Amino acid sequence: MNLKQHIKKILKEEHQWNLKKNHLRYEKLINKLVYEIFDEGICGFDWDTFKLETREGMSIRIVLHFTEESFQDFDYERYGKSKQELKNLIEDYLPKFDGIYIAYDTTKCREEMNESELTERCWKGYTQKGMKTMFGKRYPNCVKIKKKKTMKESIRNILIQEVNKKYPKPNEKVDKLVYRWLDNYFEGSQIYKHESWKHWSFRFEFCKNGREIADLHLDFDDRSPDWGPRDKRPTSERSFNKAWLYIYPVMIDELLTDIPIRKNYLLYLIEEWFEDTKLNEIQQGFNRSDMSLDYVYVSETKKKGELCVPPVSKSEDVTMQEMMDLIKKTTLYSYKDIEKNEEEEPGWVEELYLAKLRGKEQERLNQEDRDNNPEPFNDDY
């Protein structure tokens, strides 16, 4: 190897190390995930992180060390299934990585024994996990047999130890870690807007993978009397009243598993992050700058959000009379009331008709979801 190639190799290794060192705090978790799946098949593994030009974010590469014999015993089909299982675990517990690549190597496990290697058996209560080198000789690596915990218990313990060791109290690093988690959680979500009451009450559904993950409510001042004509001022002429956000226990559980911090402080960080990002975007759509978030509620009735249904469109062959018939059937409006509202606000009939169709479809899908996926409620919330 000439000097130029040597320098290039050193620079490459240094670059790989710089990419990897930011993720070393997850090393125990990565070890746990790999050995949970391949505990009886490999003698060890290597991992590193890298960036691809064709993919955004950071990727992780894991190379599993088999012997030729152990890989044959493991068999290729089982290896493929186990590899997919490991990928799923990494995606669940380490959403930091946008690409996951798993390969194997049969050259790094020592199969033959020589004079410098000892083959003593492990004593009672211990089991062998590969080999280790001490004073130039090879010994079985004996580790204590522990009662196997559940995957979630083990991972939670690791995260508590590692994260709390670095962040014993709330600080700027913890804040940024939570903000990055929330960026990732809300990334790719769709927002569906609902005008609950004309000009003054709005809802914004945040939906991801077909399910609601958050629900924002906005209220502006309204001067409509209990009985009498409605306040018809446009939203732009009304003062902002309040905003509140509903989120779900499933999100809090997942976040606290990744970043163990006090729940009250976490809700404060969610409020700050949401106000600076999502609420700020929404208020720009109203051409305003006076909105702030007043409350963040964790749902006490649902562990996770319901299925989302995108806004529906009216079929071209639906008549005005058919739309009025549906409204009459599903509300307390009389035909006279319906005609009056349409005369005062053209488009009122179609808007309410489409809302009724969407509500009916939401009710159907969510009832099916509840029937197929009954889930006991978590009493901690």
Side-chain angles (χ1 to χ4, degrees), residues 259-318:
I259 311 171
I261 60 175
R262 294 177 65 180
K263 183 183 169 186
N264 287 341
Y265 184 65
L266 174 60
L267 293 178
Y268 161 76
L269 291 179
I270 292 173
E271 182 178 325
E272 292 290 300
W273 175 87
F274 194 90
E275 187 172 284
D276 292 341
T277 56
K278 301 304 178 182
L279 183 59
N280 187 49
E281 293 173 10
I282 287 171
Q283 76 169 347
Q284 290 176 17
F286 284 94
N287 196 27
R288 307 179 74 111
S289 60
D290 58 344
M291 296 185 187
S292 60
L293 194 60
D294 296 277
Y295 312 103
V296 174
Y297 295 109
V298 180
S299 175
E300 296 182 353
T301 57
K302 301 173 185 174
K303 190 172 180 65
K304 59 187 177 183
E306 293 193 332
L307 297 176
C308 295
V309 176
V312 298
S313 300
K314 180 175 74 71
S315 301
E316 294 182 0
D317 57 348
V318 174

Short mmCIF file of all heavy atoms in Angstrom, two decimals, residues 259-318:
data_model
loop_
_atom_site.label_atom_id
_atom_site.label_comp_id
_atom_site.label_asym_id
_atom_site.label_seq_id
_atom_site.Cartn_x
_atom_site.Cartn_y
_atom_site.Cartn_z
N ILE A 259 -36.66 7.95 25.85
CA ILE A 259 -35.99 9.02 26.60
C ILE A 259 -36.64 9.11 27.98
O ILE A 259 -37.62 9.84 28.16
CB ILE A 259 -36.13 10.38 25.86
CG1 ILE A 259 -35.76 10.23 24.38
CG2 ILE A 259 -35.28 11.45 26.54
CD1 ILE A 259 -36.08 11.45 23.55
N PRO A 260 -36.15 8.39 28.95
CA PRO A 260 -36.78 8.40 30.29
C PRO A 260 -36.58 9.75 30.99
O PRO A 260 -35.49 10.08 31.45
CB PRO A 260 -36.03 7.28 31.03
CG PRO A 260 -35.36 6.47 29.99
CD PRO A 260 -35.05 7.41 28.88
N ILE A 261 -37.63 10.55 31.05
CA ILE A 261 -37.61 11.81 31.80
C ILE A 261 -38.96 11.94 32.49
O ILE A 261 -39.89 11.18 32.22
CB ILE A 261 -37.37 13.04 30.88
CG1 ILE A 261 -38.47 13.15 29.82
CG2 ILE A 261 -36.01 12.98 30.23
CD1 ILE A 261 -38.35 14.41 28.97
N ARG A 262 -39.08 12.91 33.37
CA ARG A 262 -40.34 13.09 34.10
C ARG A 262 -41.46 13.47 33.13
O ARG A 262 -41.29 14.31 32.25
CB ARG A 262 -40.16 14.17 35.16
CG ARG A 262 -39.19 13.76 36.26
CD ARG A 262 -38.97 14.86 37.26
NE ARG A 262 -40.19 15.16 37.99
CZ ARG A 262 -40.26 16.09 38.94
NH1 ARG A 262 -39.19 16.79 39.26
NH2 ARG A 262 -41.40 16.31 39.58
N LYS A 263 -42.62 12.87 33.36
CA LYS A 263 -43.73 13.07 32.43
C LYS A 263 -44.18 14.53 32.37
O LYS A 263 -44.46 15.06 31.30
CB LYS A 263 -44.91 12.17 32.84
CG LYS A 263 -46.09 12.27 31.88
CD LYS A 263 -47.25 11.43 32.36
CE LYS A 263 -48.50 11.74 31.55
NZ LYS A 263 -49.68 11.06 32.07
N ASN A 264 -44.25 15.20 33.52
CA ASN A 264 -44.69 16.60 33.52
C ASN A 264 -43.76 17.48 32.70
O ASN A 264 -44.20 18.37 31.96
CB ASN A 264 -44.77 17.14 34.95
CG ASN A 264 -45.96 16.57 35.69
OD1 ASN A 264 -46.91 16.07 35.09
ND2 ASN A 264 -45.92 16.62 37.02
N TYR A 265 -42.45 17.21 32.82
CA TYR A 265 -41.50 18.00 32.03
C TYR A 265 -41.63 17.66 30.56
O TYR A 265 -41.51 18.53 29.69
CB TYR A 265 -40.08 17.73 32.53
CG TYR A 265 -39.05 18.58 31.83
CD1 TYR A 265 -39.04 19.97 31.98
CD2 TYR A 265 -38.09 18.01 31.00
CE1 TYR A 265 -38.11 20.75 31.32
CE2 TYR A 265 -37.16 18.79 30.35
CZ TYR A 265 -37.17 20.16 30.52
OH TYR A 265 -36.24 20.93 29.87
N LEU A 266 -41.89 16.40 30.26
CA LEU A 266 -42.09 15.99 28.87
C LEU A 266 -43.27 16.72 28.24
O LEU A 266 -43.19 17.20 27.11
CB LEU A 266 -42.30 14.48 28.80
CG LEU A 266 -42.66 13.92 27.42
CD1 LEU A 266 -41.57 14.21 26.41
CD2 LEU A 266 -42.91 12.42 27.51
N LEU A 267 -44.40 16.82 28.97
CA LEU A 267 -45.56 17.53 28.42
C LEU A 267 -45.25 18.99 28.16
O LEU A 267 -45.73 19.58 27.19
CB LEU A 267 -46.74 17.39 29.39
CG LEU A 267 -47.31 15.97 29.56
CD1 LEU A 267 -48.43 15.97 30.58
CD2 LEU A 267 -47.79 15.43 28.23
N TYR A 268 -44.44 19.59 29.03
CA TYR A 268 -44.01 20.97 28.81
C TYR A 268 -43.20 21.08 27.51
O TYR A 268 -43.41 22.00 26.71
CB TYR A 268 -43.19 21.45 30.01
CG TYR A 268 -42.33 22.66 29.72
CD1 TYR A 268 -42.90 23.93 29.63
CD2 TYR A 268 -40.96 22.53 29.52
CE1 TYR A 268 -42.12 25.04 29.35
CE2 TYR A 268 -40.18 23.63 29.24
CZ TYR A 268 -40.75 24.89 29.15
OH TYR A 268 -39.98 25.98 28.86
N LEU A 269 -42.28 20.13 27.28
CA LEU A 269 -41.46 20.16 26.07
C LEU A 269 -42.32 19.96 24.82
O LEU A 269 -42.10 20.60 23.79
CB LEU A 269 -40.38 19.08 26.13
CG LEU A 269 -39.26 19.30 27.15
CD1 LEU A 269 -38.28 18.14 27.10
CD2 LEU A 269 -38.53 20.61 26.90
N ILE A 270 -43.31 19.06 24.91
CA ILE A 270 -44.22 18.84 23.77
C ILE A 270 -44.96 20.12 23.44
O ILE A 270 -45.12 20.50 22.27
CB ILE A 270 -45.20 17.70 24.07
CG1 ILE A 270 -44.45 16.36 24.16
CG2 ILE A 270 -46.31 17.63 23.03
CD1 ILE A 270 -45.29 15.20 24.62
N GLU A 271 -45.43 20.82 24.48
CA GLU A 271 -46.15 22.08 24.28
C GLU A 271 -45.25 23.12 23.58
O GLU A 271 -45.67 23.78 22.63
CB GLU A 271 -46.63 22.62 25.62
CG GLU A 271 -47.43 23.91 25.52
CD GLU A 271 -47.93 24.37 26.88
OE1 GLU A 271 -48.28 23.50 27.71
OE2 GLU A 271 -47.99 25.59 27.10
N GLU A 272 -44.01 23.23 24.06
CA GLU A 272 -43.08 24.19 23.47
C GLU A 272 -42.78 23.83 22.02
O GLU A 272 -42.79 24.71 21.14
CB GLU A 272 -41.78 24.21 24.28
CG GLU A 272 -41.92 24.79 25.68
CD GLU A 272 -42.16 26.29 25.63
OE1 GLU A 272 -41.30 27.01 25.11
OE2 GLU A 272 -43.22 26.73 26.10
N TRP A 273 -42.50 22.56 21.77
CA TRP A 273 -42.16 22.12 20.41
C TRP A 273 -43.34 22.33 19.46
O TRP A 273 -43.16 22.85 18.35
CB TRP A 273 -41.76 20.63 20.42
CG TRP A 273 -41.51 20.09 19.05
CD1 TRP A 273 -40.35 20.12 18.34
CD2 TRP A 273 -42.48 19.43 18.21
NE1 TRP A 273 -40.51 19.54 17.12
CE2 TRP A 273 -41.82 19.10 17.00
CE3 TRP A 273 -43.81 19.10 18.35
CZ2 TRP A 273 -42.46 18.44 15.96
CZ3 TRP A 273 -44.46 18.45 17.31
CH2 TRP A 273 -43.79 18.12 16.14
N PHE A 274 -44.54 21.92 19.88
CA PHE A 274 -45.70 22.01 19.01
C PHE A 274 -46.02 23.47 18.68
O PHE A 274 -46.35 23.80 17.54
CB PHE A 274 -46.91 21.34 19.67
CG PHE A 274 -48.05 21.10 18.72
CD1 PHE A 274 -48.13 19.92 18.01
CD2 PHE A 274 -49.02 22.06 18.52
CE1 PHE A 274 -49.17 19.69 17.12
CE2 PHE A 274 -50.07 21.85 17.64
CZ PHE A 274 -50.14 20.66 16.92
N GLU A 275 -45.90 24.33 19.67
CA GLU A 275 -46.21 25.75 19.45
C GLU A 275 -45.22 26.36 18.45
O GLU A 275 -45.62 27.15 17.58
CB GLU A 275 -46.15 26.50 20.77
CG GLU A 275 -46.61 27.94 20.68
CD GLU A 275 -46.72 28.59 22.04
OE1 GLU A 275 -47.69 28.30 22.76
OE2 GLU A 275 -45.80 29.37 22.39
N ASP A 276 -43.96 26.00 18.57
CA ASP A 276 -42.93 26.57 17.70
C ASP A 276 -42.94 26.00 16.29
O ASP A 276 -42.41 26.63 15.36
CB ASP A 276 -41.54 26.35 18.30
CG ASP A 276 -41.33 27.14 19.57
OD1 ASP A 276 -42.09 28.11 19.80
OD2 ASP A 276 -40.41 26.80 20.35
N THR A 277 -43.51 24.81 16.10
CA THR A 277 -43.48 24.17 14.79
C THR A 277 -44.87 24.11 14.15
O THR A 277 -45.19 24.91 13.28
CB THR A 277 -42.89 22.75 14.91
OG1 THR A 277 -43.64 22.00 15.87
CG2 THR A 277 -41.42 22.81 15.32
N LYS A 278 -45.68 23.17 14.60
CA LYS A 278 -46.97 22.92 13.93
C LYS A 278 -47.95 24.08 14.09
O LYS A 278 -48.60 24.49 13.13
CB LYS A 278 -47.59 21.63 14.47
CG LYS A 278 -46.71 20.40 14.28
CD LYS A 278 -46.33 20.20 12.83
CE LYS A 278 -45.42 19.00 12.65
NZ LYS A 278 -44.99 18.82 11.24
N LEU A 279 -48.10 24.60 15.31
CA LEU A 279 -49.03 25.70 15.50
C LEU A 279 -48.57 26.94 14.73
O LEU A 279 -49.40 27.68 14.17
CB LEU A 279 -49.18 26.03 16.99
CG LEU A 279 -50.18 27.14 17.32
CD1 LEU A 279 -51.58 26.77 16.83
CD2 LEU A 279 -50.21 27.43 18.82
N ASN A 280 -47.28 27.16 14.67
CA ASN A 280 -46.76 28.30 13.93
C ASN A 280 -47.10 28.18 12.44
O ASN A 280 -47.47 29.17 11.80
CB ASN A 280 -45.24 28.39 14.11
CG ASN A 280 -44.67 29.64 13.49
OD1 ASN A 280 -45.17 30.74 13.71
ND2 ASN A 280 -43.61 29.48 12.72
N GLU A 281 -47.00 26.97 11.88
CA GLU A 281 -47.36 26.77 10.48
C GLU A 281 -48.85 27.03 10.25
O GLU A 281 -49.25 27.64 9.24
CB GLU A 281 -47.02 25.34 10.06
CG GLU A 281 -45.53 25.04 10.03
CD GLU A 281 -45.26 23.56 9.77
OE1 GLU A 281 -46.22 22.84 9.44
OE2 GLU A 281 -44.09 23.14 9.90
N ILE A 282 -49.68 26.54 11.17
CA ILE A 282 -51.12 26.69 11.02
C ILE A 282 -51.54 28.15 11.13
O ILE A 282 -52.39 28.62 10.36
CB ILE A 282 -51.85 25.82 12.05
CG1 ILE A 282 -51.73 24.34 11.64
CG2 ILE A 282 -53.32 26.21 12.20
CD1 ILE A 282 -52.22 23.36 12.66
N GLN A 283 -50.96 28.89 12.06
CA GLN A 283 -51.37 30.29 12.20
C GLN A 283 -50.96 31.11 10.98
O GLN A 283 -51.62 32.10 10.65
CB GLN A 283 -50.82 30.90 13.49
CG GLN A 283 -49.37 31.27 13.50
CD GLN A 283 -49.02 32.11 14.72
OE1 GLN A 283 -49.91 32.62 15.42
NE2 GLN A 283 -47.74 32.26 14.98
N GLN A 284 -49.90 30.71 10.30
CA GLN A 284 -49.54 31.39 9.06
C GLN A 284 -50.62 31.22 8.01
O GLN A 284 -50.86 32.11 7.19
CB GLN A 284 -48.19 30.88 8.55
CG GLN A 284 -47.00 31.29 9.41
CD GLN A 284 -45.70 30.69 8.94
OE1 GLN A 284 -45.58 30.23 7.81
NE2 GLN A 284 -44.70 30.68 9.81
N GLY A 285 -51.30 30.04 8.03
CA GLY A 285 -52.41 29.82 7.11
C GLY A 285 -53.59 30.74 7.39
O GLY A 285 -54.38 31.02 6.49
N PHE A 286 -53.72 31.20 8.64
CA PHE A 286 -54.75 32.18 9.00
C PHE A 286 -54.25 33.62 8.84
O PHE A 286 -54.99 34.55 9.11
CB PHE A 286 -55.18 31.98 10.46
CG PHE A 286 -56.08 30.80 10.69
CD1 PHE A 286 -55.55 29.58 11.08
CD2 PHE A 286 -57.46 30.91 10.52
CE1 PHE A 286 -56.38 28.49 11.31
CE2 PHE A 286 -58.29 29.82 10.75
CZ PHE A 286 -57.75 28.60 11.14
N ASN A 287 -52.98 33.75 8.41
CA ASN A 287 -52.35 35.06 8.27
C ASN A 287 -52.36 35.82 9.60
O ASN A 287 -52.71 37.00 9.66
CB ASN A 287 -53.04 35.89 7.17
CG ASN A 287 -52.19 37.06 6.74
OD1 ASN A 287 -50.96 37.04 6.83
ND2 ASN A 287 -52.84 38.12 6.26
N ARG A 288 -51.94 35.10 10.68
CA ARG A 288 -51.93 35.69 12.02
C ARG A 288 -50.61 35.37 12.70
O ARG A 288 -49.85 34.50 12.26
CB ARG A 288 -53.08 35.13 12.88
CG ARG A 288 -54.45 35.23 12.27
CD ARG A 288 -55.48 34.62 13.20
NE ARG A 288 -55.74 35.49 14.33
CZ ARG A 288 -56.86 36.15 14.54
NH1 ARG A 288 -57.86 36.06 13.67
NH2 ARG A 288 -57.02 36.92 15.60
N SER A 289 -50.37 36.07 13.82
CA SER A 289 -49.17 35.81 14.61
C SER A 289 -49.46 35.88 16.11
O SER A 289 -48.55 36.07 16.91
CB SER A 289 -48.07 36.81 14.25
OG SER A 289 -48.51 38.14 14.51
N ASP A 290 -50.75 35.74 16.48
CA ASP A 290 -51.15 35.92 17.88
C ASP A 290 -51.55 34.62 18.57
O ASP A 290 -52.10 34.63 19.67
CB ASP A 290 -52.31 36.91 17.97
CG ASP A 290 -53.54 36.47 17.17
OD1 ASP A 290 -53.40 35.58 16.31
OD2 ASP A 290 -54.63 37.02 17.40
N MET A 291 -51.28 33.46 17.96
CA MET A 291 -51.74 32.19 18.53
C MET A 291 -50.69 31.59 19.46
O MET A 291 -49.49 31.67 19.22
CB MET A 291 -52.06 31.19 17.41
CG MET A 291 -53.20 31.60 16.52
SD MET A 291 -53.58 30.28 15.35
CE MET A 291 -54.80 31.11 14.32
N SER A 292 -51.18 30.96 20.51
CA SER A 292 -50.32 30.22 21.43
C SER A 292 -51.10 29.02 21.94
O SER A 292 -52.33 29.01 21.92
CB SER A 292 -49.86 31.11 22.59
OG SER A 292 -50.98 31.59 23.32
N LEU A 293 -50.37 28.02 22.41
CA LEU A 293 -51.00 26.79 22.89
C LEU A 293 -51.23 26.90 24.40
O LEU A 293 -50.31 27.18 25.15
CB LEU A 293 -50.09 25.60 22.57
CG LEU A 293 -50.69 24.20 22.68
CD1 LEU A 293 -51.87 24.04 21.74
CD2 LEU A 293 -49.61 23.16 22.36
N ASP A 294 -52.47 26.67 24.82
CA ASP A 294 -52.82 26.81 26.24
C ASP A 294 -52.68 25.51 27.02
O ASP A 294 -52.27 25.53 28.18
CB ASP A 294 -54.26 27.32 26.37
CG ASP A 294 -54.42 28.72 25.80
OD1 ASP A 294 -54.12 29.68 26.52
OD2 ASP A 294 -54.82 28.85 24.63
N TYR A 295 -53.04 24.39 26.42
CA TYR A 295 -53.03 23.12 27.14
C TYR A 295 -52.59 21.99 26.23
O TYR A 295 -52.81 22.01 25.02
CB TYR A 295 -54.44 22.75 27.67
CG TYR A 295 -55.16 23.85 28.39
CD1 TYR A 295 -56.20 24.56 27.77
CD2 TYR A 295 -54.83 24.20 29.69
CE1 TYR A 295 -56.88 25.57 28.42
CE2 TYR A 295 -55.49 25.21 30.35
CZ TYR A 295 -56.52 25.90 29.71
OH TYR A 295 -57.18 26.91 30.37
N VAL A 296 -51.98 20.96 26.85
CA VAL A 296 -51.73 19.68 26.19
C VAL A 296 -52.40 18.61 27.05
O VAL A 296 -52.07 18.47 28.23
CB VAL A 296 -50.23 19.37 26.04
CG1 VAL A 296 -50.03 17.97 25.48
CG2 VAL A 296 -49.56 20.39 25.13
N TYR A 297 -53.36 17.90 26.49
CA TYR A 297 -54.08 16.85 27.21
C TYR A 297 -53.66 15.48 26.69
O TYR A 297 -53.60 15.26 25.47
CB TYR A 297 -55.59 16.98 27.01
CG TYR A 297 -56.21 18.21 27.58
CD1 TYR A 297 -56.70 19.23 26.75
CD2 TYR A 297 -56.36 18.37 28.96
CE1 TYR A 297 -57.28 20.37 27.28
CE2 TYR A 297 -56.95 19.50 29.49
CZ TYR A 297 -57.41 20.50 28.64
OH TYR A 297 -57.99 21.63 29.17
N VAL A 298 -53.38 14.55 27.60
CA VAL A 298 -53.21 13.15 27.22
C VAL A 298 -54.57 12.49 27.38
O VAL A 298 -55.17 12.55 28.45
CB VAL A 298 -52.16 12.45 28.10
CG1 VAL A 298 -52.01 10.99 27.68
CG2 VAL A 298 -50.82 13.16 28.02
N SER A 299 -55.06 11.88 26.32
CA SER A 299 -56.40 11.31 26.34
C SER A 299 -56.59 10.35 27.51
O SER A 299 -55.73 9.52 27.79
CB SER A 299 -56.67 10.56 25.02
OG SER A 299 -57.92 9.90 25.08
N GLU A 300 -57.71 10.48 28.19
CA GLU A 300 -58.03 9.59 29.31
C GLU A 300 -59.03 8.52 28.90
O GLU A 300 -59.41 7.68 29.72
CB GLU A 300 -58.60 10.42 30.47
CG GLU A 300 -57.60 11.40 31.06
CD GLU A 300 -58.17 12.17 32.23
OE1 GLU A 300 -59.38 12.02 32.49
OE2 GLU A 300 -57.42 12.90 32.89
N THR A 301 -59.46 8.53 27.66
CA THR A 301 -60.46 7.56 27.21
C THR A 301 -59.95 6.63 26.12
O THR A 301 -60.52 5.57 25.90
CB THR A 301 -61.71 8.29 26.67
OG1 THR A 301 -61.32 9.18 25.61
CG2 THR A 301 -62.37 9.09 27.77
N LYS A 302 -58.88 7.03 25.43
CA LYS A 302 -58.35 6.21 24.33
C LYS A 302 -56.85 6.07 24.46
O LYS A 302 -56.15 7.06 24.70
CB LYS A 302 -58.68 6.85 22.98
CG LYS A 302 -60.16 7.05 22.73
CD LYS A 302 -60.37 7.85 21.45
CE LYS A 302 -61.84 8.17 21.25
NZ LYS A 302 -62.05 9.06 20.08
N LYS A 303 -56.35 4.86 24.29
CA LYS A 303 -54.90 4.63 24.34
C LYS A 303 -54.22 5.14 23.08
O LYS A 303 -53.08 5.60 23.11
CB LYS A 303 -54.62 3.15 24.53
CG LYS A 303 -53.16 2.85 24.83
CD LYS A 303 -52.97 1.40 25.21
CE LYS A 303 -51.50 1.09 25.52
NZ LYS A 303 -51.00 1.80 26.70
N LYS A 304 -54.92 5.07 21.95
CA LYS A 304 -54.38 5.56 20.69
C LYS A 304 -55.49 6.22 19.90
O LYS A 304 -56.68 6.02 20.18
CB LYS A 304 -53.76 4.42 19.88
CG LYS A 304 -54.73 3.30 19.54
CD LYS A 304 -54.03 2.12 18.89
CE LYS A 304 -55.01 0.98 18.64
NZ LYS A 304 -54.35 -0.20 18.07
N GLY A 305 -55.11 7.03 18.91
CA GLY A 305 -56.10 7.74 18.11
C GLY A 305 -56.88 6.81 17.20
O GLY A 305 -56.46 5.68 16.90
N GLU A 306 -58.01 7.30 16.73
CA GLU A 306 -58.85 6.49 15.84
C GLU A 306 -58.32 6.56 14.41
O GLU A 306 -57.44 7.37 14.09
CB GLU A 306 -60.30 6.99 15.90
CG GLU A 306 -60.95 6.76 17.25
CD GLU A 306 -62.46 6.95 17.22
OE1 GLU A 306 -62.93 7.74 16.37
OE2 GLU A 306 -63.15 6.30 18.02
N LEU A 307 -58.86 5.70 13.56
CA LEU A 307 -58.47 5.71 12.16
C LEU A 307 -58.93 7.00 11.50
O LEU A 307 -59.99 7.53 11.83
CB LEU A 307 -59.08 4.51 11.43
CG LEU A 307 -58.63 3.12 11.92
CD1 LEU A 307 -59.38 2.04 11.17
CD2 LEU A 307 -57.13 2.95 11.74
N CYS A 308 -58.14 7.48 10.57
CA CYS A 308 -58.46 8.73 9.88
C CYS A 308 -59.14 8.44 8.55
O CYS A 308 -58.83 7.45 7.87
CB CYS A 308 -57.19 9.53 9.61
SG CYS A 308 -56.36 10.12 11.11
N VAL A 309 -60.05 9.31 8.19
CA VAL A 309 -60.71 9.23 6.88
C VAL A 309 -60.49 10.56 6.18
O VAL A 309 -60.89 11.61 6.70
CB VAL A 309 -62.22 8.96 7.03
CG1 VAL A 309 -62.90 8.98 5.67
CG2 VAL A 309 -62.46 7.62 7.71
N PRO A 310 -59.84 10.58 5.03
CA PRO A 310 -59.62 11.84 4.31
C PRO A 310 -60.95 12.49 3.93
O PRO A 310 -61.99 11.81 3.86
CB PRO A 310 -58.85 11.41 3.06
CG PRO A 310 -58.29 10.07 3.39
CD PRO A 310 -59.26 9.44 4.33
N PRO A 311 -60.97 13.80 3.69
CA PRO A 311 -62.19 14.46 3.23
C PRO A 311 -62.74 13.78 1.98
O PRO A 311 -61.98 13.34 1.12
CB PRO A 311 -61.71 15.89 2.93
CG PRO A 311 -60.52 16.08 3.81
CD PRO A 311 -59.86 14.74 3.88
N VAL A 312 -64.07 13.67 1.90
CA VAL A 312 -64.70 12.98 0.77
C VAL A 312 -65.20 13.99 -0.26
O VAL A 312 -65.36 15.18 0.03
CB VAL A 312 -65.88 12.11 1.25
CG1 VAL A 312 -65.39 11.03 2.19
CG2 VAL A 312 -66.93 12.96 1.95
N SER A 313 -65.42 13.51 -1.48
CA SER A 313 -65.93 14.35 -2.58
C SER A 313 -67.35 13.94 -2.93
O SER A 313 -67.73 12.78 -2.76
CB SER A 313 -65.03 14.22 -3.81
OG SER A 313 -63.71 14.61 -3.51
N LYS A 314 -68.10 14.88 -3.43
CA LYS A 314 -69.50 14.62 -3.82
C LYS A 314 -69.55 14.00 -5.21
O LYS A 314 -68.87 14.44 -6.13
CB LYS A 314 -70.29 15.93 -3.81
CG LYS A 314 -71.76 15.78 -4.22
CD LYS A 314 -72.50 17.09 -4.08
CE LYS A 314 -72.13 18.06 -5.18
NZ LYS A 314 -72.68 17.64 -6.49
N SER A 315 -70.34 12.93 -5.32
CA SER A 315 -70.54 12.32 -6.63
C SER A 315 -71.28 13.29 -7.55
O SER A 315 -72.15 14.04 -7.10
CB SER A 315 -71.34 11.02 -6.51
OG SER A 315 -70.67 10.09 -5.69
N GLU A 316 -70.94 13.26 -8.82
CA GLU A 316 -71.54 14.20 -9.77
C GLU A 316 -73.04 13.97 -9.94
O GLU A 316 -73.78 14.91 -10.28
CB GLU A 316 -70.84 14.07 -11.13
CG GLU A 316 -69.39 14.52 -11.10
CD GLU A 316 -68.75 14.42 -12.46
OE1 GLU A 316 -69.44 14.00 -13.43
OE2 GLU A 316 -67.55 14.76 -12.58
N ASP A 317 -73.51 12.74 -9.70
CA ASP A 317 -74.93 12.44 -9.94
C ASP A 317 -75.81 12.67 -8.71
O ASP A 317 -77.01 12.41 -8.74
CB ASP A 317 -75.09 10.99 -10.43
CG ASP A 317 -74.50 9.98 -9.44
OD1 ASP A 317 -73.77 10.42 -8.52
OD2 ASP A 317 -74.76 8.77 -9.60
N VAL A 318 -75.23 13.16 -7.59
CA VAL A 318 -76.03 13.43 -6.40
C VAL A 318 -76.76 14.75 -6.56
O VAL A 318 -76.15 15.77 -6.89
CB VAL A 318 -75.14 13.46 -5.14
CG1 VAL A 318 -75.96 13.89 -3.92
CG2 VAL A 318 -74.52 12.11 -4.90
#
